[in-house]
């Protein structure tokens, strides 16, 4: 894997995508890497992946995918709350004195035109040095609209703010951002045709389950916002209502390093509800498409989900979706047409939509086909790239290089 200082191309627009690296790895990384790929394929951009910590799960994933990266020589980072230690800058002022000037020089010395950040820590760490440099800053927000930094720092330091949904727009920005804010849904490549029956048979065989078992799926990191424990409660409600239905819930995902041990809480809750035999943990899986295609219904149990990646991937793959009527889910799902939206605080609200989809083949087909048609029309890599390019074109300096 080529690792080294980024090589700027004087004939292209150089865009740095910095990441923490290490074991910090989730859906936002996958989405932004697709953007990196598309920018490099365009012939106009030189998109550079930079890692502060070049060992761990994320660098290993990059190696598996053949994505080159460069090591960023700035191990000291502003860390959120409990992750702060004495060996790391404790606040923005300390960080500015220790690292920001070095990062500014790094940007200028490598002729970076745009710094494009995609997660909270990178927003915090790169907004000041980029502001002090000759580059322009794109703050790509994929999280909570109430996040303090997004409302206080993004309006001051970002040249452009991109959010993955209307819901994710900063809710109380310190100054008006409408002139530099846009919604760009995350990119989803159209998957190769997956034989759902074959995928289902393979997964049932792997898990030792009999033919005819129906699968409800949870996909994603085991974090509080996504509510994996609530997923267990949803499966329990269905099992209580229809005890004779052969239904299991699979959980494909892992607890991020240093996060609350929701896997343990999930197991404890399943045992308490008497459904330990119906909850199956798969851990992190890649590729995930065969597992998603084997799943009958994706259960989106999350609150404040900006724009669920797995939701749109399921739409592409023909897996039905029942989601909380919350966050960005209503922007992706039209209730009763491309999936179902239910009360986010009543696990029993999931039961009847699940039952309808599992027992009415015509309804299942109608909804999944409509969902796939919408995904192919609206949630593609091309529409994502066009949205990002529109934001880049508005940049005062780099945008001039994109004008015809």
């Amino acid at each position: 894997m080529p690792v080294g200082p980024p090589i700027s191309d004087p004939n292209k627009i150089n865009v740095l995508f910095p990441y923490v690296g290490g074991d910090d790895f989730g859906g936002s990384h996958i989405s932004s890497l697709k953007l990196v790929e598309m920018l490099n394929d365009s012939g106009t951009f030189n998109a550079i992946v930079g890692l502060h910590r070049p060992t761990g799960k994320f660098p290993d994933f990059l190696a598996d995918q053949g994505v080159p990266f460069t090591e960023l020589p700035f191990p000291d980072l502003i860390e959120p709350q409990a992750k702060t230690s004495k060996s790391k800058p404790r606040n923005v002022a300390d960080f500015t004195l220790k690292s920001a000037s070095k990062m500014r020089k790094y940007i200028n010395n490598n002729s970076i035109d745009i710094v494009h950040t995609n997660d909270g820590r990178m927003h915090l760490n790169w907004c000041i040095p980029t502001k002090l440099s000759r580059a322009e800053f794109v703050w790509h927000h994929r999280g909570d609209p109430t996040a303090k930094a997004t409302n206080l720092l993004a309006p001051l330091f970002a040249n452009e703010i991109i959010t993955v949904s209307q819901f994710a727009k900063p809710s109380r920005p310190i100054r008006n951002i409408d002139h530099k804010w846009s919604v760009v849904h995350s990119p989803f490549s159209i998957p190769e045709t997956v034989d759902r029956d074959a995928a289902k048979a393979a997964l049932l065989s792997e898990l030792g389950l009999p033919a005819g078992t129906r699968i409800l799926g949870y996909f994603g990191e085991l974090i509080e916002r996504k509510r994996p424990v609530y997923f267990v409660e949803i499966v329990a409600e269905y099992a209580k209502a229809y005890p004779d239905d052969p239904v299991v819930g699979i959980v494909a995902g892992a607890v991020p390093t240093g996060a609350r041990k929701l896997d343990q809480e999930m197991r404890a809750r399943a045992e308490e509800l008497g459904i330990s035999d119906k909850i199956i943990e798969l851990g992190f899986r890649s590729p995930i498409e065969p597992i998603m295609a084997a799943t009958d219904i994706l259960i989106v149990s999350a609150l404040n989900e900006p724009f669920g990646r797995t939701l749109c991937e399921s739409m592409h793959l023909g897996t039905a979706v029942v989601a909380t009527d919350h966050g960005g889910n209503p922007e992706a799902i039209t209730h009763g047409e491309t999936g179902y939206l239910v009360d986010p605080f009543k696990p029993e609200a999931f039961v009847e939509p699940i039952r309808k989809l599992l027992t009415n083949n015509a309804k299942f087909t109608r909804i999944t086909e409509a969902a796939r048609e919408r995904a192919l029309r609206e949630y593609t890599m091309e529409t994502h790239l066009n949205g990002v390019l529109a934001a880049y074109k508005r940049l005062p300096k780099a945008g001039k290089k994109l004008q015809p």
Side-chain angles (χ1 to χ4, degrees):
M1 175 58 56
V3 179
I7 301 174
S8 298
D9 188 331
N11 298 314
K12 296 182 179 181
I13 298 173
N14 297 288
V15 188
L16 175 64
F17 285 80
Y19 301 91
V20 175
D23 292 332
D24 187 26
F25 178 36
S28 65
H29 298 76
I30 296 174
S31 293
S32 55
L33 288 174
K34 288 184 179 294
L35 174 60
V36 167
E37 178 185 355
M38 289 186 289
L39 290 173
N40 282 328
D41 287 345
S42 72
T44 302
F45 295 89
N46 177 37
I48 304 155
V49 174
L51 304 185
H52 287 270
R53 296 164 189 166
T55 59
K57 292 180 181 178
F58 186 47
D60 290 346
F61 175 80
L62 293 177
D64 290 342
Q65 298 296 312
V67 178
F69 62 86
T70 182
E71 180 178 353
L72 298 170
F74 312 107
D76 286 337
L77 296 173
I78 302 172
E79 297 283 1
Q81 299 177 356
K83 292 186 178 181
T84 304
S85 70
K86 292 182 179 179
S87 63
K88 296 168 184 174
R90 302 182 68 85
N91 53 50
V92 174
D94 190 19
F95 167 76
T96 302
L97 291 174
K98 287 189 174 182
S99 296
S101 62
K102 296 178 183 177
M103 295 167 76
R104 175 186 62 81
K105 291 178 181 178
Y106 182 86
I107 293 169
N108 290 338
N109 290 343
N110 288 285
S111 301
I112 302 299
D113 297 294
I114 301 169
V115 175
H116 189 139
T117 55
N118 293 273
D119 65 75
R121 274 184 286 180
M122 293 297 91
H123 299 327
L124 281 173
N125 282 278
W126 285 90
C127 66
I128 292 175
T130 306
K131 186 71 171 180
L132 298 173
S133 75
R134 294 191 294 269
E136 294 169 300
F137 190 57
V138 176
W139 184 301
H140 202 143
H141 185 58
R142 305 171 185 273
D144 185 351
T146 67
K148 288 184 179 179
T150 303
N151 285 276
L152 297 177
L153 298 181
L156 297 175
F157 292 99
N159 297 96
E160 282 289 325
I161 300 170
I162 296 173
T163 62
V164 295
S165 63
Q166 292 281 341
F167 169 78
K169 180 183 180 181
S171 58
R172 294 184 177 180
I174 194 171
R175 62 168 59 164
N176 187 280
I177 62 170
D178 289 346
H179 62 290
K180 60 179 180 180
W181 164 71
S182 58
V183 174
V184 181
H185 295 309
S186 297
F188 302 94
S189 56
I190 299 173
E192 295 182 7
T193 302
V194 178
D195 186 327
R196 290 179 57 84
D197 291 335
K200 180 72 168 292
L203 183 58
L204 293 180
S205 176
E206 176 190 339
L207 301 179
L209 296 172
T213 301
R214 311 307 295 271
I215 296 176
L216 309 179
Y218 172 105
F219 295 88
E221 292 183 305
L222 305 186
I223 58 177
E224 293 181 54
R225 187 185 78 236
K226 293 182 181 294
R227 301 200 296 177
V229 176
Y230 192 73
F231 171 76
V232 170
E233 294 173 353
I234 292 166
V235 176
E237 287 291 339
Y238 189 85
K240 181 173 68 174
Y242 299 100
D244 295 329
D245 280 12
V247 171
V248 299
I250 63 169
V251 180
V255 176
T257 302
R260 179 176 160 189
K261 302 298 183 183
L262 288 175
D263 55 341
Q264 298 175 10
E265 295 181 33
M266 189 175 62
R267 290 180 211 121
R269 186 60 172 148
E271 184 175 354
E272 181 182 357
L273 293 170
I275 61 163
S276 294
D277 60 327
K278 291 184 176 294
I279 301 298
I280 302 171
E281 295 180 63
L282 301 181
F284 176 78
R285 291 292 187 100
S286 182
I288 196 62
E289 287 80 8
I291 308 296
M292 279 190 171
T295 300
D296 294 288
I297 302 174
L298 170 73
I299 303 299
V300 182
S301 51
L303 286 179
N304 297 315
E305 186 77 347
F307 197 77
R309 178 174 184 80
T310 56
L311 188 157
C312 292
E313 288 175 331
S314 293
M315 293 170 74
H316 274 295
L317 289 164
T319 297
V321 178
V322 181
T324 54
D325 190 6
H326 204 269
N329 295 338
E331 294 179 45
I333 294 292
T334 301
H335 180 70
E337 294 182 15
T338 58
Y340 287 98
L341 297 168
V342 302
D343 189 320
F345 302 106
K346 294 180 179 179
E348 65 272 18
F350 283 79
V351 172
E352 288 312 310
I354 292 172
R355 178 71 172 174
K356 289 177 183 177
L357 290 166
L358 293 182
T359 58
N360 189 326
N361 289 335
K363 184 179 291 292
F364 184 96
T365 299
R366 175 177 61 78
I367 283 180
T368 54
E369 287 183 351
R372 178 171 169 77
E373 180 183 347
R374 179 171 181 177
L376 292 174
R377 183 178 67 252
E378 299 182 20
Y379 310 132
T380 67
M381 295 178 72
E382 290 72 22
T383 55
H384 178 80
L385 177 61
N386 289 336
V388 172
L389 289 179
Y392 283 2
K393 288 178 181 179
R394 290 192 295 269
L395 295 171
K397 290 182 287 187
K400 292 180 180 179
K401 298 181 181 181
L402 290 169
Q403 301 306 318

